[in-house]
């Protein structure tokens, strides 16, 4: 699987227009993180889904440079893949043969996943940028709540 991902990365690097060092770094990081996606769920280890993860995450990172790609976004994307694949494959996802899916159908699924993923990320992007300002903003009221609770305060 790792060899397949490295081959895919090599093909992307060789066959596409020249990329900036930042884009290459992003692609490398996504290619490293993709195999780590939901390691207990065999579905996400399938080569077709690995390629889909890489494409969706890379395109999103390039089209949204302010947030780019950060570790963990691969796991944010997986529920969308699951939902849209469930429309094609009935039953338990352990039985889904995603490597046999027709390219046109997979492209449709990727498009739907990309759109939903982007819509979600538009709402929570500050939690996933490199400096994570959303996390910092969230932690202040959370800290105040803890202080209030542990100092004997009561909610009304």
């Amino acid at each position: 699987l790792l060899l397949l991902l490295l081959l895919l990365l090599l093909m992307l690097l060789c066959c596409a227009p020249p990329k900036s060092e930042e884009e290459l770094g992003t692609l490398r990081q996504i290619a490293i993180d993709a195999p780590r996606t939901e390691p207990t769920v065999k579905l996400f280890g399938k080569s077709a889904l690995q390629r889909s993860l890489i494409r969706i995450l890379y395109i999103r990172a390039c089209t949204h440079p302010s947030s780019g790609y950060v570790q963990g976004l691969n796991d944010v994307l997986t529920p969308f893949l699951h939902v849209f694949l469930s429309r094609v494959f009935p039953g338990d996802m352990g039985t889904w043969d995603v490597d046999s899916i027709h390219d046109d159908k997979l492209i449709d699924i990727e498009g739907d996943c990309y759109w939903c993923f982007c819509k979600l990320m538009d709402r929570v992007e500050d939690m996933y940028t490199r400096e994570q300002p959303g996390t910092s903003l969230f932690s202040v009221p959370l800290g105040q709540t803890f202080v209030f609770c542990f100092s004997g305060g009561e909610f009304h």
Side-chain angles (χ1 to χ4, degrees), residues 1-56:
L1 181 62
L2 186 58
L3 182 61
L4 179 64
L5 288 174
L6 291 174
L7 181 60
L8 176 63
L9 180 60
L10 182 62
M11 286 176 21
L12 285 171
L13 295 175
C14 294
C15 301
K19 295 176 179 19
S20 70
E21 282 300 314
E22 186 174 346
E23 289 172 329
L24 291 174
T26 298
L27 188 55
R28 273 191 224 85
Q29 186 60 53
I30 292 170
I32 290 168
D33 288 349
R36 298 175 182 165
T37 303
E38 295 290 340
T40 60
V41 180
K42 291 181 181 182
L43 175 70
F44 293 108
K46 302 281 187 173
S47 60
L49 283 190
Q50 290 288 303
R51 290 189 305 271
S52 292
L53 279 165
I54 291 169
R55 280 191 295 267
I56 294 167

Side-chain angles (χ1 to χ4, degrees), residues 138-153 155:
F138 176 74
S139 65
V140 171
L142 183 61
Q144 291 170 342
T145 302
F146 283 142
V147 168
F148 179 77
C149 289
F150 290 113
S151 66
F155 290 106

Side-chain angles (χ1 to χ4, degrees), residues 72-81 117 120-121 124 128:
L73 289 181
N74 53 322
D75 293 317
V76 175
L77 176 58
T78 57
F80 297 117
L81 284 166
F117 180 62
L120 173 65
M121 291 309 299
V124 298
Y128 289 94

Side-chain angles (χ1 to χ4, degrees), residues 85-96:
L85 284 167
S86 71
R87 293 178 168 186
V88 176
F89 296 104
D92 181 59
M93 74 175 170
T95 64
W96 297 353

